[in-house]
Amino acid sequence: MNYGDELIVRGWMSYLSGRENVKNMRIETNSKVNSERFHEEGGESANEYGTTIVFDDFLYGLCGSVAGLSFWEQFVRGVEFFDKGGVDIYGEENFDFIGSVRAIHLHGGGYFNDIFPWHGFILGFTMSLAKREGIPAMATGIGLMPMGKPNREQREKFVSLMDCFSVFELRDVESFRLVKSLSGGKGNVVNGFDDNFMLKREDLFSCDGHVGANLVLSFIEHDICRMSRSYLKRLSEYAREFDRVVFWECYPWQDENVIEFMRSHISDLEVVCSRDWVYARGRLSQNDRVIVSRFHPHFCAARVGVSGVYNIKGKYYDVKHGSIVALGSGFGKGSLSRLIRPEKRQGTLCLYDEELTAMKRKVVDIGIQSFPLR
């Protein structure tokens, strides 16, 4: 249950349930039970609009049922799933839901790449399903890097299915260039925005009871071994300059070790859980400073004009953080070997946030106008 992923789910639940013609939504996730618990209040809000939301993890189980394949090999496996008797192999009764599918939406996240090759199956499966059943489809806020190029046969299959998308939106320029080069002119390929823009910035955080200045931290588990003694010493000294030091939990079970480690250096560390951040109970203001390794805390903090530093970590996160910097986050580039203090420097992203949110909605409106939802 990653903060950024669930924030995006919350945004789409809110947006789609508010549309008159959307009465039923099936959200595929990696854990049906965990998603139901996490988004209980989001589901209740959707019910107020008369929309029923069902979570399931069947497709995630399918994509992970065959290991050892590259992303593009998994993609082909998904494309050929129906023709090669996949329904019979995995049980026809498990595919009854297909008959009620009226539209397909691949929503945002950065998980279609070589780091998570099994997700290639989901891309191929949904494209094939849309083409086979004549179901309209769109993809929004997709990040594909790092990603190797497909071979000739794999590319031909990708191109042959691209026109099933009313829009295929990429959230960073590297992903856009890759899909544009592969698509052969098919499909409405858009250099767009991350799906967190489905929420207005005033829906991201709470200002209730926020006083003083807080230092907000968001680290990843493998950051621990990269933090030098000097970095930790200077960070604990820097933390004393703030009224509160808050850890921004993003991935509950992964962050447990990080929180325990940070508390051994900052004894009064407070933790705000990921669910509270997703449902805007986390407090953040422009008096605060943020030091992050994760993508969406950087993005959302910058949207409300908070100053911060992001830690570089490798190509996967460099592309992600780079896309926010390109939008004008104003965050400085940090390092876990030497503490770089965030400067009081508001980026330009927050100044243009309303315009960017409006542009995102225009892309979505183009994609969804062909959806005969009910």
Side-chain angles (χ1 to χ4, degrees):
M1 310 305 297
N2 189 316
Y3 163 72
D5 301 336
E6 307 315 322
L7 184 75
I8 287 170
V9 169
R10 178 199 161 204
W12 280 109
M13 287 169 63
S14 176
Y15 172 78
L16 290 172
S17 62
R19 297 179 68 91
E20 292 182 1
N21 59 345
V22 179
K23 297 304 177 186
N24 295 282
M25 294 168 57
R26 176 187 171 105
I27 301 176
E28 286 288 338
T29 176
N30 63 358
S31 174
K32 169 184 169 68
V33 173
N34 288 338
S35 293
E36 287 173 343
R37 291 173 179 168
F38 193 99
H39 290 289
E40 183 178 5
E41 62 192 280
E44 290 174 354
S45 297
N47 287 336
E48 293 177 6
Y49 289 101
T51 300
T52 301
I53 295 176
V54 174
F55 289 94
D56 211 301
D57 49 19
F58 177 64
L59 288 187
Y60 191 79
L62 274 186
C63 76
S65 63
V66 176
L69 302 179
S70 69
F71 178 90
W72 288 109
E73 288 170 339
Q74 286 280 13
F75 169 76
V76 171
R77 175 179 161 244
V79 170
E80 297 177 344
F81 182 82
F82 295 101
D83 292 338
K84 291 194 172 182
V87 172
D88 293 331
I89 294 172
Y90 289 93
E92 187 174 351
E93 67 280 3
N94 292 315
F95 297 87
D96 290 344
F97 71 91
I98 290 178
S100 61
V101 176
R102 297 292 177 267
I104 296 172
H105 175 211
L106 291 179
H107 68 71
Y111 299 106
F112 286 136
N113 56 43
D114 290 337
I115 298 175
F116 308 99
W118 54 93
H119 292 162
F121 173 84
I122 294 178
L123 180 62
F125 178 90
T126 52
M127 293 175 81
S128 178
L129 176 61
K131 194 80 166 183
R132 178 188 180 93
E133 303 293 331
I135 301 170
M138 72 172 179
T140 62
I142 303 296
L144 292 172
M145 305 306 287
M147 172 71 75
K149 291 187 176 181
N151 62 33
R152 181 177 177 180
E153 178 186 359
Q154 293 161 349
R155 178 178 178 176
E156 288 176 352
K157 289 184 181 296
F158 181 74
V159 172
S160 70
L161 294 170
M162 270 302 293
D163 59 4
C164 73
F165 287 104
S166 55
V167 66
F168 199 106
E169 179 196 30
L170 291 309
R171 72 181 186 186
D172 58 78
V173 68
E174 291 87 352
S175 297
F176 169 74
R177 287 170 178 163
L178 174 65
V179 174
K180 196 70 174 175
S181 69
L182 297 178
S183 63
K186 288 194 172 185
N188 185 14
V189 183
V190 177
N191 183 16
F193 306 97
D194 186 81
D195 275 358
N196 81 81
F197 277 113
M198 293 308 297
L199 290 167
K200 296 179 180 179
R201 63 179 169 188
E202 55 263 32
D203 296 326
L204 296 174
F205 305 106
S206 169
C207 294
D208 294 342
H210 192 296
V211 293
N214 298 338
L215 175 63
V216 182
L217 308 173
S218 177
F219 297 120
I220 302 171
E221 186 170 17
H222 34 77
D223 286 340
I224 293 175
C225 63
R226 300 170 58 229
M227 293 180 179
S228 67
R229 291 183 179 179
S230 171
Y231 180 90
L232 290 166
K233 181 176 182 294
R234 292 181 182 276
L235 180 62
S236 63
E237 293 171 349
Y238 181 50
R240 298 190 193 109
E241 300 178 16
F242 294 86
D243 299 292
R244 298 167 65 231
V245 184
V246 176
F247 189 88
W248 188 327
E249 182 194 71
C250 288
Y251 216 138
W253 46 92
Q254 281 192 8
D255 286 352
E256 286 180 359
N257 292 337
V258 187
I259 292 167
E260 182 180 356
F261 176 80
M262 294 310 301
R263 277 184 168 149
S264 69
H265 296 275
I266 304 173
S267 59
D268 57 349
L269 182 73
E270 301 176 33
V271 178
V272 177
C273 71
S274 57
R275 186 174 180 178
D276 282 346
W277 287 113
V278 167
Y279 281 94
R281 290 187 288 269
R283 298 195 295 267
L284 203 65
S285 80
Q286 293 182 3
N287 293 327
D288 299 336
R289 297 292 176 268
V290 176
I291 300 177
V292 300
S293 293
R294 293 194 181 274
F295 173 66
H296 279 103
H298 176 182
F299 211 140
C300 294
R303 287 186 62 189
V304 297
V306 177
S307 304
V309 165
Y310 70 94
N311 298 310
I312 54 177
K313 192 185 156 293
K315 188 173 182 180
Y316 176 53
Y317 271 93
D318 283 355
V319 169
K320 296 170 77 170
H321 285 298
S323 67
I324 319 171
V325 172
L327 285 175
S329 79
F331 274 41
K333 183 183 290 187
S335 166
L336 291 170
S337 60
R338 180 175 64 89
L339 179 68
I340 297 176
R341 297 188 174 200
E343 298 179 10
K344 188 176 181 180
R345 181 181 60 192
Q346 187 181 75
T348 57
L349 172 56
C350 66
L351 303 179
Y352 298 104
D353 189 82
E354 289 186 11
E355 289 86 345
L356 295 173
T357 301
M359 290 170 67
K360 173 70 175 184
R361 291 296 179 94
K362 288 181 179 179
V363 173
V364 171
D365 288 344
I366 292 171
I368 208 170
Q369 62 188 0
S370 63
F371 279 25
L373 301 174
R374 58 180 181 271

